[in-house]
Amino acid sequence: MIGQIRDQLRKRIRREMGRAPGAVSTVIDSQSVRAAETVGRDSRGYGGAKKINGRKRHLVVGAKGLPLFVMVTPADMTDRDAAKEVLFRLWLMRPEITIVWADSAYAGQLVTSSKSLLGLTLKTVSRPKDASGFVVLPRRWVAERSLARIMHARRHARDYERLIQHSESLITWAAITIMTRRITVEAPAGTDSRHPAKRCGTDRFQGQRPLLAPDPGKTTVPPPAMPGQPVGGAPSPRKATVNRPWASNCGCPPSRTLGSRIEHCDLVAMRPPPP
């Protein structure tokens, strides 16, 4: 049932993006996480490459980062061995997939066997030899971004589940949460709803009611300025967003947050005028 919900959400998002419901090109990647003391010895292992004692998550996503399949194994299982089972299950569930992108850990005999037995073209993307530090690699960054988004759920920072099936279900639920938010968030006017990334950077308070709207029929006299503060003058745009009549004379520094500025302005307004 959880897998069906994930698939229906993925198809809907792809339709909204103007693409076919089924993905043809996919990306596979793995992630090693530490296991808690609740994880048994039979379902955990020590990964020598990452030096992590826990489990490994194998995730298959589409070209746009929408999850298709997830499998959890002990961390001591290599990517090539786990990919044999992952690609076989993927071939049974999604026969329309023709190409799979991966990193150099999946190279070798797996490339030829997946092509001859499953009809899948496995292409590897290697890291540049002269690269140093973090480098965004073509194709591979999509799966890495999906794994990072799943890690935003604090439960997945470490594997706490006794059964591997429970861990796979919770990872799928995290992917469902990401996709439902992507559907329900409305794009601002003038932006393309098919690209949720363009929605970022908008004013989060845009379209909301002001915190304290002044009464147009009432004249509010601001309190006297504090010593060392200028009297009058046009308020800065940052201070004007507080929506307080005395915001122009409170002297709030720009580094203050909205809540601290409101509290500071209220305290200034309640002070008695100097003698």
Side-chain angles (χ1 to χ4, degrees), residues 32-259:
S32 299
V33 293
R34 300 184 185 277
E37 63 275 3
T38 55
V39 179
R41 185 179 301 178
D42 57 339
S43 62
R44 66 191 298 167
Y46 181 79
K50 301 294 181 63
K51 298 181 179 181
I52 290 180
N53 187 358
R55 289 173 175 171
K56 184 179 291 188
R57 301 164 180 169
H58 306 271
L59 183 66
V60 180
V61 299
K64 296 299 181 180
L66 302 177
L68 282 87
F69 180 78
V70 61
M71 189 178 75
V72 179
T73 61
D76 56 355
M77 180 176 291
T78 62
D79 292 343
R80 294 189 185 92
D81 296 337
K84 296 178 182 178
E85 181 68 21
V86 173
L87 295 179
F88 179 71
R89 294 186 185 182
L90 190 67
W91 174 73
L92 292 177
M93 296 185 302
R94 310 292 173 199
E96 68 275 6
I97 296 176
T98 58
I99 183 172
V100 181
W101 297 88
D103 57 9
S104 57
Y106 297 88
Q109 188 179 0
L110 181 63
V111 178
T112 57
S113 60
S114 60
K115 183 64 176 179
S116 59
L117 299 178
L118 305 178
L120 295 176
T121 302
L122 183 61
K123 293 187 177 182
T124 59
V125 180
S126 302
R127 180 184 174 89
K129 297 181 180 180
D130 56 346
S132 61
F134 176 75
V135 179
V136 178
L137 300 177
R139 304 288 183 175
R140 284 176 49 184
W141 70 271
V142 179
E144 295 174 355
R145 181 187 61 181
S146 300
L147 290 171
R149 288 175 175 175
I150 292 176
M151 288 290 287
H152 288 172
R154 292 179 294 176
R155 188 186 187 98
H156 299 302
R158 182 171 298 208
D159 202 322
Y160 297 93
E161 309 307 319
R162 294 182 181 274
L163 298 179
I164 288 181
Q165 293 81 0
H166 293 173
S167 180
E168 294 174 351
S169 299
L170 289 176
I171 295 174
T172 306
W173 270 120
I176 291 174
T177 303
I178 296 172
M179 289 189 288
T180 51
R181 289 177 180 176
R182 184 170 181 171
I183 293 175
T184 55
V185 172
E186 297 181 359
T191 59
D192 191 354
S193 60
R194 297 178 300 174
H195 301 279
K198 295 183 180 180
R199 306 174 191 174
C200 303
T202 57
D203 188 4
R204 59 181 300 184
F205 300 103
Q206 185 178 3
Q208 298 183 4
R209 296 194 324 175
L211 299 177
L212 181 62
D215 189 359
K218 182 180 179 181
T219 304
T220 305
V221 180
M226 298 180 65
Q229 294 182 354
V231 180
S236 62
R238 189 177 183 88
K239 296 178 182 178
T241 57
V242 184
N243 294 320
R244 289 293 198 270
W246 50 84
S248 58
N249 296 327
C250 69
C252 289
S255 60
R256 282 182 179 269
T257 60
L258 183 63

